[in-house]
Amino acid sequence: MDPDHLGYLIDRYLTALVLYARQWCNAPEDVAQEAFIKLAQQAEPPMHPVAWLYRVVRNGAISQARSERRRTNHEGRVAADARLWFTPSEEVFGLDAQAATDALQRLPLELREIIVAHLWGGLTFEQIADLTGGSSATCWRRYAAGLKMLRQEMGLPCPNAKTT
Amino acid sequence: MPEREDDLTPPPNLEAFAQQLKQLTPQHVQLSRDALLFAAGQAAAAPKTSPWLWPSLTGLFAAICLVLTGFLITPSPTPLIQYVDRERIVYVERSEAEAPAVVVAPPLSTQEMISHEDEESQQLAEQLRLRREVLRWGVDMLPKATPPRVRPKTVSDGELAQWLNVPLGMFSTHRPITPKKTSPKPPEDE
């Protein structure tokens, strides 16, 4: 793979991939790094490198989560969960990073991974469906349901809700 | 649910919230970009063959070399010479009365074999001597060979008729050849 293209992918998608891997494991940086190294080792670069990277990160994170489950204790898991997933926003009207992290952590995994892959990874619903093994319509439904739950969890009012 | 699968935009009441969420930046990663690029380049340049291939091949050939060296060093046993009597087949001209018979001569004894070989060697020596003489003096020194006298065979009429498969007596009859009578010349008109 072209080093410039690899550098661009690292700059653009490394943090999003780490956030995606964080859904499953406590060392997402290692998983993302391994994914980029595997991408560089490919003799023939994949047609959609971003979707390919997400697939490799997902498989690696699930596999690492299995091995972590055997050796980490409860305190380590709590400490990893308490870590912030987002940089605190400096905007006045921006969402609270801590609240967003907590709300995302409380979401079911199948809804959360679709939201993270679509919003911060930029994957289309078709690509997410290939990744998770379902149809794009199902992914869309889960995405909408996840956003609704997330908004409720964060205590934000619905803009179209009628006030009495 | 949208009507078409490619029209998968979130509902309008969720679009603003989705945009707000998107504004959140994922936490900074504790990974060095340069180190990651270096590791990726190193991995890409690594050979694709498995690491145990060349060591195992080297070990295999070393073992073969050791075995062959062992064979080379070990003294070979002296070859065992064994004399075996061989049967001689003699063909005898058959007579009319007798059926063709092959007489199997008794195996030659060692003394006979030696004498037979002596005869062959004497013949060979004689041939060599003659060739040397011819090369030295030319073919004139050779004795004149008298061609065998062959008596011409006469073929009888009966044999000829039998060979040609014609009726008997065809070649025995002789028809006298009568001379052609010439017509008298007409008198020339004067």
Side-chain angles (χ1 to χ4, degrees), chain B residues 72-159:
Chain B
L72 196 68
I73 291 171
T74 309
S76 60
T78 54
L80 182 68
I81 299 172
Q82 189 177 5
Y83 291 99
V84 179
D85 291 338
R86 61 179 182 182
E87 288 186 345
R88 227 174 53 161
I89 298 173
V90 178
Y91 295 95
V92 180
E93 289 182 7
R94 68 170 182 180
S95 60
E96 291 177 356
E98 294 174 350
V102 177
V103 177
V104 178
L108 292 174
S109 64
T110 313
Q111 192 63 34
E112 283 174 341
M113 283 175 64
I114 291 169
S115 65
H116 184 68
E117 286 173 0
D118 283 349
E119 285 173 10
E120 284 181 353
S121 62
Q122 280 175 2
Q123 282 179 2
L124 189 64
E126 182 62 26
Q127 286 173 1
L128 287 173
R129 190 191 61 77
L130 195 62
R131 191 178 72 171
R132 198 167 54 243
E133 293 289 321
V134 167
L135 289 173
R136 187 171 181 185
W137 304 108
V139 289
D140 295 336
M141 57 82 57
L142 287 172
K144 281 192 176 179
T146 55
R149 190 172 287 176
V150 180
R151 203 177 141 195
K153 195 179 177 183
T154 56
V155 180
S156 66
D157 292 340
E159 281 177 340

Side-chain angles (χ1 to χ4, degrees), chain A:
Chain A
M1 169 162 272
D2 184 17
D4 293 336
H5 191 203
L6 188 66
Y8 163 75
L9 289 173
I10 290 172
D11 292 340
R12 168 70 181 79
Y13 291 102
L14 178 61
T15 52
L17 282 167
V18 170
L19 175 67
Y20 186 64
R22 213 185 284 278
Q23 317 296 313
W24 290 277
C25 62
N26 295 332
E29 290 92 352
D30 296 346
V31 176
Q33 183 173 358
E34 284 296 319
F36 278 109
I37 288 172
K38 279 183 186 170
L39 179 65
Q41 282 178 324
Q42 297 296 309
E44 191 73 24
M47 193 169 286
H48 301 292
V50 179
W52 187 91
L53 277 170
Y54 266 85
R55 179 181 295 278
V56 173
V57 163
R58 186 177 194 266
N59 294 339
I62 290 171
S63 141
Q64 184 162 349
R66 283 198 201 109
S67 54
E68 277 174 1
R69 218 171 291 144
R70 286 194 292 269
R71 65 170 182 264
T72 54
N73 52 13
H74 178 69
E75 286 80 14
R77 245 175 283 156
V78 169
D81 289 346
R83 207 176 298 156
L84 264 184
W85 286 8
F86 301 101
T87 310
S89 176
E90 292 176 358
E91 292 180 21
V92 181
F93 300 105
L95 292 175
D96 181 25
Q98 184 65 57
T101 305
D102 294 342
L104 268 174
Q105 281 177 349
R106 282 194 292 271
L107 271 186
L109 181 61
E110 64 266 20
L111 305 184
R112 187 173 63 198
E113 73 165 314
I114 293 172
I115 291 172
V116 171
H118 182 68
L119 282 184
W120 289 282
L123 295 190
T124 63
F125 288 110
E126 278 188 7
Q127 287 173 333
I128 296 171
D130 283 343
L131 196 65
T132 57
S135 69
S136 49
T138 309
C139 286
W140 185 90
R141 275 198 298 270
R142 285 180 179 169
Y143 172 73
L147 281 183
K148 272 184 194 169
M149 283 178 70
L150 202 58
R151 195 173 54 192
Q152 285 172 0
E153 288 282 343
M154 292 177 72
L156 295 175
C158 177
N160 296 342
K162 290 178 183 175
T163 52
T164 54

Side-chain angles (χ1 to χ4, degrees), chain B residues 29-94:
Chain B
V29 178
Q30 304 291 330
L31 270 177
S32 165
R33 178 186 184 274
D34 295 335
L36 179 53
L37 270 174
F38 179 76
Q42 214 173 16
K48 298 288 183 292
T49 54
S50 52
W52 50 265
L53 178 68
W54 291 114
S56 59
L57 273 179
T58 309
L60 178 70
F61 282 114
I64 291 171
C65 283
L66 278 176
V67 170
L68 290 178
T69 310
F71 278 124
L72 196 68
I73 291 171
T74 309
S76 60
T78 54
L80 182 68
I81 299 172
Q82 189 177 5
Y83 291 99
V84 179
D85 291 338
R86 61 179 182 182
E87 288 186 345
R88 227 174 53 161
I89 298 173
V90 178
Y91 295 95
V92 180
E93 289 182 7
R94 68 170 182 180

